[in-house]
Amino acid sequence: MAKGNHQEIRGRPHNLLEHYQPIDGVVDEMVDASGNPRPVWKEFIEALEDLGPEKLAQRFARADQYLRDAGVYYRLYDQAGANEREWPLAHVPLLIEEQEWAAISAGLVQRAELFEETIADIYGPNRLVEKGILPAGLIAASPEYLRPVVGTRPASGHFLHFCAFELGRGPDGRWWVLGDRTQAPSGAGFALENRVATTRALSDIYGEMHVHRLAGFFRRFRDALNGMAKGSGGRVAILTPGPLNETYYEHAYIARYLGIMLLEGEDLTVSGGRLMVRTVSGLMPVSVLWRRLDAAFADPLELRPDSQIGTPGLVEAIRRGAVSAVNALGSGLMETRALFAFLPKISRELRNEELLLPSVATWWCGRDKDRDHVLANLDRMVIGPALSTRLAFEDDDCTRLGSALVAGERAELIARIERDGGAFVGQEAVTLSTTPVHVGGRLEPRPAALRVYLARTPEGWTVMPGGFARVGFSLDPTAIAMQRGGQAADVWVVSDGPVERETLLPQEHDSFIRTSPGSLPSRAAENLTWLGRYIERSEDTVRILRAYHVRLAEASDPDMPLLADIRDHLEPFGIDVAAAIPPGLIATLDGAVYSAGQIRDRFSPDGWLALNDLSKTIHQFATTVAPGDDATRAMTVILRKLAGFSGLLHENMYRFTGWRFLEIGRRLERGIQIARTLARLTGAAAPEGALDMMLEIGDSVMTHRRQYPVQAGRRTVIDLLVLDPLNPRSILFQLERLKAEIALLPAVGSEGHMSPAAKEILQLNTAIAIKEPSDMTAKALDDLATEIGGLYNSLAKAYFG
C-alpha cells in the first residue's frame, strides 16, 4: 500500500488509514488499488478522523446501547440449543455511489421479473421443461417444488412480491449474485434497525452526506399490500412461525412499523373457502398474507403433515383465489442453487435478454458436459448439494472447497459425483471484496456480502436504497454468516446532491382507514390478559414478601406466629420464603416476559425495555440478596420498577380492545390476590399484627388512618379493602373496573343480549356492593376469590377459544 498517497489525510491527529492494509488481489470498497480513499468514502473518513478515537468509541458505544435498549436480537442455534444474541452491528456503514446503485438496481429488477416469469411457467404451461431448457428431474426432485399448487394462478396475478438478493463483488470489480431469496426473505427489519443505530452514532455525518432514506421503500410496499387487500375486502397480515424463529424480532418489528397484524398459524382458520383470523369479535377475513415461514410448513393438510405452525386448508383458500400469499407458495424453488446454471439460457428464452447482473458461475453435474468441467477444474471449485437453497458460505457442513480436500476426501467426492452427478453443483470459489470494520480503535478490512431488497408496487418493482451488508468477523468468507459470528452493517447509497426526505407517513391528499377495534386476534388478547395477571401477581407477591422481610429483620424470633402464617400462606402458591428472591416469584415474572414476547408487535419499545430491565433486576437479586433488611430493600426496588412498568402501559397504551384485556387481567388478579390474603390475615385465627400487615400489603396504611381515625379493627380493614369503591386496592373497586371494561368488549354471538361474562360480573359486583363488613368472613372471602377467578373462564370461552 502506497502510504505516501495519503498526505492530505496524514496530517490529522487521528489517522484511521495509517495501518489499513487491503488484501492483495481483492477489491476493497473503501480504498482503490493505489490505497487512496474512493471518492464516496473520502468525506466520510475525514469526518471520522475529526472525531478522534475517544469520541468515535463513544459514538459506537451509543449505537450498541440503542440496540440493547430496543431489545434487538437474533436467535442463534448451536449445540447448547437456541439462545438470544444481541444484534452484532458493524459500526462502519458500507458506502455505495448512487450511480453504481442504479446499475445494481436495474440488474435486480430484471432478475425479479425473470423469476416471476420462470415461476409462472414452472407452475403453469411448463414450456421450459418441454423445450429441454430446464431438466424435469431437477425440478421434480426439489423439496421446494410444491405439486399441490401446480396450475394455481395467484389471486394478485403475481407469484413474487418481495425478494432479496445476496451480492458479492469479485476481484474484477463486478457485482455477482451469490444467492436469491424468494421464499420468505428476512432482514429488512434489521436493515431499518441498522440504519437507526448507525445514525444514532453518526447523526452529524449522516446529515451532511446525501444518503437515500429507507422509509419510502416500506411505505410504498405497505400501500401496495393494503391496495391488494382493499379490493378483496379483507385484511393484511404477516404470518410468522412464532417467537422461537431466529428472526422473530424482525417479524414483530416490521408488523409494528407497518401497522400490520402479526399472526401465527393457530390464529388462522379456513371457513367457507376463505382464510379467517380468529379475533375477539369472531372470524374476520384475511386476503393478503405476507408469510415469513417456509411454504412447506404453511398447510399440514396438503403439504407437510408434521407441521405444527401451519393452517389446515390454506392451500385450498389460495387455489380458490380467496387470499394472496406474499410470496406465492412454491416460489422458494427459485432459491435452488442448481438453477444458477440455467438462468442465462432461461433469460434468453423468456426475455431475449442477457443477465445484467450475472450469477456466480455454476455447473450442474447432472449434465455430462458440466460434470466433466467440474471434475477437470475441481481445485478451483466449491462443490455442494444441487438442491440446497443456502449460500455456499452458509452451508459449510455440506459444501466442500476442492482445493482443501485431502487425497482420500477428493477420491470419495469424485466417485460420488460420477455416481450421482445430479445431486451436486460446482461453483467458482467466491473471493469477496472487503469493507472496513472498526477494531481496537482502527479500521481493518473484512469480507462483505450485500443483501438488497425489492418490493412489488402498482408502479413496478422498487428497490430498497441500501439494505444491509453481512460482514465477516475474520478474513474467512464463511465468517459472514450470522450463525457463525458475522456482523451486519448499514448500507448508505450516497448521492451527489440532496435527496428526498421520505417518511412512512401518508401524504396530505392520501385517504386513510382507521382499523376496527375488534380486529384483535384472540391469541393476542389472551396473552395481554395473562401479561396483566402475571404483573399483578408479581406485585402482590413482592408486597407480601417485603412485609415478611421487614418483620423478619425486626423479629427476635423468626418462628413468630405471624411469619409462620405468611410462610404457610405462600407455600401452596410455590413461594418459598427461605430464598430472599423465591424461584416462584422469578417464574411469575418470567411468565410476564413470555406473554409480552408473544405480542412483540403490539408492545412499545419503551414497555419492552422496562419489562426486560425488571427481569434483569430480579434475576440479579436472586444471586446477591440475603433475607431480612437486604431483601426488604430489594423488594422496594422491584416494586418501584413494577409500578414504573404498569404506569408506562397505563399512560401510553391506546385504549383499544387490547388494552381492555390487559386491564381486565390486572383487575382479575388484584381482586383474587386481595381476597385470598384478606381471608388469611383477617380470619378469627389470624395472629397478632396480621391486620397491620394486611394494610401494608394493600398499600392502604395512610388511607386507613385518615378514614378511621378513632376506630380500627377487622371491620375497618374489611370495609377499606373490600367494600370501599374509591380505594384502588379494594375488591369492589376491581369489580367496578371489570364491569366497565367487560361491558365494552366486542359482542360475540350474543345477538344484542348481555354476554355471560357481563352477567356474571354484574351479579358479583351487585352482591358485594350491598355487603356489610361483618358478612365478609374468611370463607366468604375465599369463595369470592374463586368467583372472581371464574370470570376468566367465561372470558376465555367467549374470546380465546
Side-chain angles (χ1 to χ4, degrees):
M1 180 175 174
K3 295 183 179 179
N5 292 329
H6 293 295
Q7 291 179 357
E8 183 178 350
I9 301 177
R10 290 297 180 230
R12 299 175 181 274
H14 181 215
N15 192 344
L16 289 170
L17 295 183
E18 184 175 5
H19 301 288
Y20 192 80
Q21 295 292 336
I23 311 302
D24 290 341
V26 175
V27 172
D28 190 273
E29 298 294 335
M30 182 175 68
V31 298
D32 60 24
S34 300
N36 292 310
R38 300 181 189 277
V40 72
W41 284 88
K42 189 173 182 294
E43 178 185 351
F44 179 78
I45 293 299
E46 289 178 351
L48 291 187
E49 289 179 331
D50 284 342
L51 289 173
E54 186 175 340
K55 283 187 178 180
L56 193 57
Q58 291 173 352
R59 294 286 193 93
F60 291 156
R62 184 187 304 169
D64 293 336
Q65 187 61 52
Y66 162 77
L67 293 170
R68 285 192 294 270
D69 289 348
V72 184
Y73 74 92
Y74 73 105
R75 197 174 298 280
L76 177 66
Y77 292 93
D78 53 25
Q79 294 179 346
N83 301 290
E84 289 185 6
R85 298 291 178 87
E86 292 183 358
W87 185 246
L89 177 70
H91 302 102
V92 179
L94 171 60
L95 275 56
I96 299 179
E97 291 180 336
E98 183 181 52
Q99 186 175 358
E100 183 176 22
W101 189 260
I104 291 172
S105 299
L108 294 181
V109 168
Q110 179 203 46
R111 194 177 187 90
E113 289 290 359
L114 176 62
F115 281 15
E116 173 71 29
E117 293 181 31
T118 304
I119 298 171
D121 178 79
I122 290 173
Y123 286 100
N126 228 351
R127 294 192 182 96
L128 292 172
V129 170
E130 181 182 336
K131 293 182 178 182
I133 296 172
L134 275 177
L138 177 65
I139 300 300
S142 173
E144 299 301 334
Y145 177 66
L146 304 182
R147 289 176 177 81
V149 295
V150 170
T152 300
R153 187 68 185 171
S156 66
H158 298 287
F159 289 85
L160 296 178
H161 296 268
F162 194 84
C163 306
F165 300 95
E166 298 278 354
L167 307 181
R169 194 197 294 271
D172 61 355
R174 297 180 65 190
W175 288 100
W176 295 76
V177 179
L178 307 177
D180 306 300
R181 293 287 176 259
T182 55
Q183 172 77 267
S186 65
F190 289 125
L192 281 169
E193 288 288 35
N194 287 345
R195 176 61 55 89
V196 174
T198 303
T199 53
R200 286 283 180 95
L202 306 173
S203 57
D204 47 353
I205 302 174
Y206 178 80
E208 292 173 3
M209 299 183 73
H210 304 304
V211 182
H212 284 271
R213 270 53 174 177
L214 304 182
F217 170 84
F218 288 97
R219 187 189 71 246
R220 286 186 281 275
F221 184 52
R222 178 201 61 190
D223 293 347
L225 293 176
N226 286 332
M228 289 165 59
K230 187 176 181 181
S232 54
R235 290 160 175 75
V236 181
I238 297 175
L239 179 61
T240 174
L244 294 181
N245 184 262
E246 63 183 13
T247 57
Y248 175 75
Y249 171 84
E250 184 211 1
H251 304 171
Y253 179 85
I254 284 289
R256 186 170 62 239
Y257 183 71
L258 299 182
I260 298 174
M261 283 194 298
L262 183 66
L263 304 177
E264 296 182 29
E266 65 181 271
D267 295 325
L268 295 164
T269 187
V270 175
S271 177
R274 294 204 68 178
L275 185 66
M276 313 292 281
V277 56
R278 296 181 176 94
T279 78
V280 295
S281 296
L283 297 179
M284 293 188 175
V286 172
S287 56
V288 178
L289 193 64
W290 183 5
R291 62 178 181 84
R292 299 303 302 273
L293 64 99
D294 289 351
F297 294 91
D299 185 347
L301 193 63
E302 297 205 47
L303 300 173
R304 284 191 57 156
D306 60 336
S307 173
Q308 300 293 314
I309 55 177
T311 303
L314 177 59
V315 169
E316 178 60 23
I318 290 173
R319 275 198 292 256
R320 292 191 181 197
V323 60
S324 294
V326 177
N327 287 327
L329 299 184
S331 57
L333 178 67
M334 297 309 299
E335 298 183 1
T336 305
R337 199 181 298 181
L339 287 185
F340 272 24
F342 302 93
L343 287 179
K345 192 170 183 180
I346 293 174
S347 182
R348 289 190 289 269
E349 172 67 25
L350 294 180
R351 300 179 62 83
N352 196 28
E353 296 174 346
E354 297 296 328
L355 292 174
L356 298 175
L357 275 179
S359 309
V360 60
T362 303
W363 295 266
W364 178 54
C365 296
R367 297 187 293 192
D368 293 344
K369 184 179 179 181
D370 285 13
R371 181 175 64 249
D372 293 343
H373 177 83
V374 168
L375 293 176
N377 297 275
L378 196 61
D379 285 342
R380 62 184 185 89
M381 292 282 178
V382 173
I383 310 299
L387 299 179
S388 175
T389 58
R390 304 179 69 187
L391 275 66
F393 60 74
E394 295 177 327
D395 205 17
D396 56 357
D397 291 338
C398 303
T399 302
R400 296 289 180 266
L401 182 62
S403 60
L405 296 171
V406 299
E409 292 174 332
R410 184 186 183 89
E412 180 185 354
L413 181 58
I414 290 174
R416 291 177 63 193
I417 293 175
E418 290 177 337
R419 183 174 62 249
D420 186 17
F424 296 92
V425 292
Q427 294 182 299
E428 283 194 356
V430 177
T431 301
L432 297 173
S433 63
T434 56
T435 192
V437 297
H438 190 258
V439 180
R442 66 185 191 184
L443 298 181
E444 295 183 5
R446 293 289 186 270
L450 183 65
R451 182 175 292 183
V452 186
Y453 298 91
L454 280 72
R456 185 185 294 280
T457 71
E459 293 74 36
W461 289 101
T462 182
V463 181
M464 185 192 296
F468 77 82
R470 294 199 284 175
V471 182
F473 73 91
S474 71
L475 293 176
D476 178 4
T478 65
I480 288 177
M482 302 296 289
Q483 294 288 335
R484 294 176 176 83
Q487 299 175 291
D490 191 13
V491 178
W492 291 5
V493 176
V494 183
S495 174
D496 292 333
V499 298
E500 185 177 355
R501 295 181 175 273
E502 296 188 282
T503 72
L504 201 65
L505 297 175
Q507 305 300 313
E508 280 297 320
H509 61 273
D510 291 345
S511 62
F512 67 90
I513 300 174
R514 179 177 291 170
T515 303
S516 169
S519 59
L520 176 71
S522 297
R523 182 181 53 84
E526 185 175 16
N527 278 292
L528 283 163
T529 303
W530 275 105
L531 174 61
R533 293 195 66 171
Y534 281 131
I535 287 297
E536 196 62 39
R537 189 178 298 177
S538 298
E539 179 179 339
D540 180 78
T541 303
V542 169
R543 289 186 178 280
I544 295 175
L545 289 171
R546 184 173 67 168
Y548 174 88
H549 285 288
V550 165
R551 285 154 181 80
L552 180 64
E554 298 171 349
S556 55
D557 179 12
D559 292 324
M560 62 183 290
L562 181 57
L563 297 183
D565 204 48
I566 290 297
R567 288 196 292 270
D568 292 342
H569 173 63
L570 292 175
E571 194 260 341
F573 307 114
I575 306 297
D576 182 3
V577 297
I581 308 294
L585 173 60
I586 296 174
T588 300
L589 195 58
D590 285 346
V593 174
Y594 175 82
S595 293
Q598 301 291 309
I599 46 173
R600 284 292 297 268
D601 60 310
R602 297 177 179 273
F603 222 68
S604 75
D606 286 338
W608 185 255
L609 174 61
L611 185 58
N612 270 283
D613 178 59
L614 177 58
S615 178
K616 289 177 183 177
T617 298
I618 201 167
H619 279 86
Q620 179 183 0
F621 283 166
T623 60
T624 59
V625 171
D629 278 337
D630 206 18
T632 301
R633 287 191 293 271
M635 295 302 166
T636 300
V637 172
I638 295 170
L639 268 180
R640 190 165 61 242
K641 293 194 173 188
L642 277 165
F645 173 73
S646 297
L648 189 67
L649 294 184
H650 185 80
E651 291 299 322
N652 295 345
M653 197 168 178
Y654 185 75
R655 273 16 180 204
F656 74 129
T657 312
W659 181 85
R660 301 198 189 287
F661 280 100
L662 179 70
E663 180 72 357
I664 285 169
R666 290 182 61 212
R667 299 304 174 183
L668 280 173
E669 195 65 31
R670 183 174 291 185
I672 292 168
Q673 297 300 332
I674 288 289
R676 283 175 175 168
T677 309
L678 275 166
R680 187 81 185 199
L681 295 182
T682 64
E688 183 180 353
L691 293 179
D692 290 334
M693 179 181 274
M694 185 65 242
L695 289 170
E696 188 177 325
I697 292 169
D699 197 21
S700 298
V701 173
M702 293 181 62
T703 304
H704 186 269
R705 289 173 183 167
R706 286 197 303 267
Q707 294 290 92
Y708 311 97
V710 179
Q711 297 177 339
R714 180 184 183 279
R715 288 185 303 164
T716 60
V717 172
I718 293 290
D719 188 57
L720 181 61
L721 290 177
V722 178
L723 304 176
D724 192 332
L726 302 181
N727 182 8
R729 292 281 166 180
S730 79
I731 295 174
L732 185 57
F733 186 93
Q734 314 315 311
L735 298 179
E736 294 279 5
R737 294 302 309 148
L738 285 168
K739 183 178 71 171
E741 298 301 339
I742 290 174
L744 294 172
L745 291 179
V748 180
S750 59
E751 299 180 354
H753 298 288
M754 188 178 292
S755 69
K759 290 179 181 178
E760 288 181 36
I761 185 58
L762 178 59
Q763 291 172 342
L764 190 53
N765 181 71
T766 304
I768 297 303
I770 61 175
K771 294 290 185 184
E772 295 292 334
S774 57
D775 298 326
M776 305 311 299
T777 62
K779 183 179 183 308
L781 288 165
D782 275 330
D783 291 344
L784 179 56
T786 301
E787 289 183 80
I788 297 173
L791 284 171
Y792 175 82
N793 296 330
S794 296
L795 289 167
K797 184 177 179 181
Y799 297 105
F800 308 153

